[in-house]
Amino acid sequence: MTDFAPFERLNGNPANGLVLLADHAMNLLPAAYGTLGLPESAFARHIAYDIGIEGLTRQLSARLDAPALLCRFSRLLIDPNRGEDDPTLIMRISDGAIVPGNHPISPQEWQNRIETYHRPYHRAVAQMLQSVAQATGKAPLVLSLHSYTPAWKGVARPWHAAVLWDSDHRAVHPLLDRLRAAQDILVGDNQPYDGALKGDTLYRHCMKSGMPHALLEVRQDLIADEAGITAWADRLAPIFRDMNADPALHEYRHFAARADGRRPP
């Protein structure tokens, strides 16, 4: 299992100050796990990865000359966007699909997946952020890319994209304003779900350190093919570039996290 790379780094210029993260970019599994007892078709579904995000992250990284980190293992193996103590870290049932390879699971195997896949990914995130901070002498601007289903449990999600966040609004408000300025898409603000999640990637690496950040979700049907991915890269690249040029988005500042059960100041 040790020959499986948990992540892929995309080269970019650290001195540009921007970092892109894609926690659920790929749907791969180490060979020793087979398909976790699931049919192959399960790995084309959202339960395995964020559809469209790998391609979108690659295009944005290239256009912006921004370092990016792609997680390679499927979220069905272990979810990198959860804290180590989160009970949903390894899902036994995901959107109605029972995952035989995850149930039952021994405490030893649970810990093995943390040490072999989850922790190496987060060490790589920390190293990338540190390299950008060292190159600029300032806080990196961190943008995390995800995608969500067009409907959930039979209820349509009308938002074309969504910005999720905890209490650090610095990158959130400019991102919302710029996305909405075109007036051709509906953008959710902590919809269809709230972005305050204790232990997730941005909580761990940005809320705790005071780095400006935001999580952008794009609806999966809009980036399910190359044409859609390119269209959204066209939309997002100038927005991200303008945000990254703002000195206020390269300052360290700490906010009380709602995920900790405290009210923001």
Side-chain angles (χ1 to χ4, degrees):
M1 289 186 285
T2 56
D3 60 347
F4 179 89
F7 55 84
E8 179 184 346
R9 292 186 182 91
L10 300 183
N11 292 328
N13 185 358
N16 286 338
L18 176 65
V19 173
L20 304 177
L21 301 177
D23 294 327
H24 300 140
M26 302 188 199
N27 58 358
L28 306 178
L29 289 175
Y33 288 96
T35 62
L36 291 171
L38 291 166
E40 291 284 355
S41 59
F43 291 86
R45 297 181 57 204
H46 72 95
I47 63 172
Y49 73 124
D50 280 355
I51 293 166
I53 287 301
E54 178 186 355
L56 182 60
T57 305
R58 290 186 187 279
Q59 283 210 31
L60 289 170
S61 175
R63 294 184 189 208
L64 299 169
D65 195 14
L69 197 71
L70 306 174
C71 184
R72 298 185 71 244
F73 55 85
S74 170
R75 67 200 305 175
L76 289 170
L77 181 71
I78 186 169
D79 193 332
N81 197 36
R82 297 291 185 273
E84 290 187 9
D85 59 351
D86 192 310
T88 66
L89 181 65
I90 298 175
M91 295 292 287
R92 297 168 174 84
I93 301 176
S94 183
D95 195 13
I98 297 173
V99 188
N102 293 348
H103 184 69
I105 183 170
S106 70
Q108 294 79 10
E109 174 56 21
W110 187 285
Q111 190 63 30
N112 175 63
R113 294 191 197 181
I114 290 175
E115 293 177 356
T116 309
Y117 307 105
H118 193 275
R119 286 179 183 168
Y121 173 73
H122 283 283
R123 283 196 294 268
V125 172
Q127 289 166 1
M128 181 169 284
L129 296 178
Q130 182 181 31
S131 70
V132 171
Q134 289 176 340
T136 63
K138 302 175 183 178
L141 171 60
V142 184
L143 298 174
S144 180
L145 301 173
H146 291 256
S147 67
Y148 61 91
T149 57
W152 183 250
K153 298 187 184 303
V155 179
R157 289 168 161 172
W159 307 277
H160 299 86
V163 181
L164 308 186
W165 56 296
D166 187 314
S167 57
D168 184 347
H169 57 81
R170 292 173 294 166
V172 171
H173 291 166
L175 181 53
L176 284 169
D177 290 346
R178 285 168 169 81
L179 286 168
R180 289 169 171 167
Q183 299 185 336
D184 62 341
I185 57 172
L186 182 63
V187 183
D189 179 355
N190 269 336
Q191 292 177 298
Y193 32 80
D194 196 304
L197 179 61
K198 188 170 184 175
D200 72 2
T201 299
L202 293 181
Y203 174 95
R204 177 173 179 168
H205 296 281
C206 298
M207 285 298 297
K208 290 300 184 182
S209 67
M211 294 179 186
H213 61 280
L215 189 153
L216 175 67
E217 297 255 11
V218 182
R219 208 173 67 200
Q220 289 173 355
D221 58 313
L222 303 177
I223 52 172
D225 57 26
E226 286 301 317
I229 289 170
T230 297
W232 273 85
D234 290 343
R235 181 188 296 270
L236 294 173
I239 292 175
F240 288 4
R241 187 177 292 111
D242 287 350
M243 291 173 61
N244 193 49
D246 183 353
L249 296 183
H250 292 283
E251 298 175 355
Y252 290 97
R253 182 179 169 191
H254 288 87
F255 292 75
R258 290 188 294 114
D260 287 333
R262 299 191 300 268
R263 294 174 62 86

